[in-house]
Amino acid sequence: MPLAPRAVVVHRRSELEELVDRHGTRGQVEFFLRSRGRDLADVQDRHDALAEALRTVRAAVPTDWRRGDVERGDLHRFAFDPQDVCLVVGPDGLVANTAKYLRDQPVVGVDPEPGRNAGILVRHVAAQVARVLADVVGGSARVEDRALVRATLDDGTSLDALNEVYLGDSGHQSARYRLTSPDGDERQSSSGVVVTTGTGATGWATSLARGRDDTPPLPRPTELTLAWFVREAWPSPTTGVSRTAGLLAAREELTVVVESDALVLFGDGLEADRLTATWGQTVRLGLSERRLRLVAR
């Protein structure tokens, strides 16, 4: 007999919970916020909105389903099953944080504070979850396949990201490397290399693209194309600035040979979950074969 689906609720701690942990008591939190021109009531309202959304989402899961629950900080230790339906309750970025740990499981993004989040990836409100789950199981849900970018070291280790991968110096000093793109290669010194997906094109890539003469057309959200940018390339007798942005089609890669003591790679801003590439190592950046299966409206 096949196992019933499992609903896995992914969430992150509220700002109020983090502040109480840091300062010890609500009174100390209130004093801290007031000293910075903020009001405890606003933080409490956001905490309550998240708690209410989580209650509603958990209550919407059918009684015969299995259940799982994971906080953002524990994602790297959580084992997702193939039959899971992932319910991400939080801001858009939480979907990106979750995507790298999934393999073809459908994701329902739930916005606990409509109007505050952009709603690019968290498309639903908590009250809609029961109907959305029925559509997912019944096969009528509309699903968008979103590309992920993959960084692979020559030792076989790799990481995937939904928005972008960053390669650079951990202390934001100059990163030195030889970069090979589909149209040639160049030795460079820069503030790092960013490779972004169509999903990430609405985030960091928008800032990177602004004001540049060499900006390529950024990929659309479901497009199987990547854009790449070199940040603040430095011209010198030994380093160039002629290849600092471009696009990568489905079977194309950006190759970087490290010429610094060590460079770090991380995805979607999760610097704690990173890889390190040392002198002489090769890093390949291109499309992952995995996709995020995002349940649309």
Side-chain angles (χ1 to χ4, degrees):
M1 180 177 179
L3 287 173
R6 182 174 69 160
V8 177
V9 178
V10 180
H11 56 94
R12 60 178 299 175
R13 300 198 316 155
S14 69
E15 183 183 12
L16 179 60
E17 290 172 313
E18 292 176 345
L19 285 170
V20 170
D21 278 356
R22 190 183 313 155
H23 298 283
T25 67
R26 284 177 58 87
Q28 289 294 327
V29 169
E30 185 171 17
F31 174 79
F32 170 78
L33 291 171
R34 194 184 306 120
S35 70
R36 284 156 175 76
R38 298 183 63 193
D39 188 353
L40 177 61
D42 178 62
V43 177
Q44 181 69 59
D45 287 344
R46 298 194 65 190
H47 171 84
D48 293 343
L50 175 59
E52 179 60 28
L54 286 169
R55 280 194 292 270
T56 302
V57 167
R58 288 167 178 146
V61 177
T63 57
D64 59 339
W65 282 34
R66 297 174 297 136
R67 296 167 183 252
D69 204 282
V70 58
E71 199 272 328
R72 177 195 181 199
D74 296 322
L75 278 167
H76 65 289
R77 292 190 290 264
F78 188 84
F80 287 95
D81 292 339
Q83 300 87 3
D84 288 346
V85 178
C86 193
L87 303 171
V88 179
V89 184
D92 293 295
L94 187 56
V95 176
N97 297 156
T98 306
K100 63 185 295 182
Y101 302 104
L102 301 175
R103 186 173 291 275
D104 297 328
Q105 294 92 341
V107 174
V108 180
V110 182
D111 189 349
E113 300 177 273
R116 185 182 288 268
N117 297 306
I120 295 170
L121 299 175
V122 285
R123 305 280 188 85
H124 309 276
V125 296
Q128 298 170 332
V129 169
R131 178 181 55 78
V132 173
L133 289 178
D135 290 345
V136 170
V137 173
S140 61
R142 187 168 67 87
V143 177
E144 294 178 358
D145 283 347
R146 297 291 187 101
L148 277 74
V149 55
R150 172 167 293 178
T152 306
L153 274 64
D154 54 14
D155 62 6
T157 57
S158 65
L159 64 81
D160 290 349
L162 179 64
N163 286 327
E164 69 278 313
V165 165
Y166 168 79
L167 167 65
D169 185 87
S170 61
H172 301 283
Q173 301 181 55
S174 294
R176 300 180 70 89
Y177 52 86
R178 177 175 287 280
L179 178 146
T180 301
S181 65
D183 62 346
D185 67 277
E186 183 173 68
R187 179 170 281 110
Q188 295 181 340
S189 176
S190 76
S191 297
V193 180
V194 177
V195 182
T196 183
T197 66
T199 300
T202 60
W204 193 6
T206 300
S207 175
L208 293 170
R210 186 175 294 118
R212 297 176 60 135
D213 295 332
D214 60 351
T215 297
L218 296 178
R220 296 182 299 275
T222 57
E223 192 174 350
L224 298 182
T225 302
L226 304 175
W228 59 272
F229 298 91
V230 176
R231 301 173 62 216
E232 301 170 324
W234 177 255
S236 77
T238 59
T239 58
V241 296
S242 64
R243 291 181 172 84
T244 57
L247 295 174
L248 298 172
R251 291 178 175 82
E252 294 179 331
E253 290 183 328
L254 200 67
T255 302
V256 177
V257 179
V258 177
E259 295 185 349
S260 295
D261 286 342
L263 298 180
V264 298
L265 298 106
F266 57 85
D268 298 333
L270 288 175
E271 192 168 357
D273 188 8
R274 66 187 186 185
L275 301 177
T276 300
T278 57
W279 185 284
Q281 279 197 280
T282 298
V283 182
R284 293 183 291 109
L285 299 132
L287 276 172
S288 170
E289 77 277 5
R290 295 166 57 193
R291 302 288 181 264
L292 171 71
R293 301 187 65 234
L294 183 69
V295 178
R297 286 194 183 91

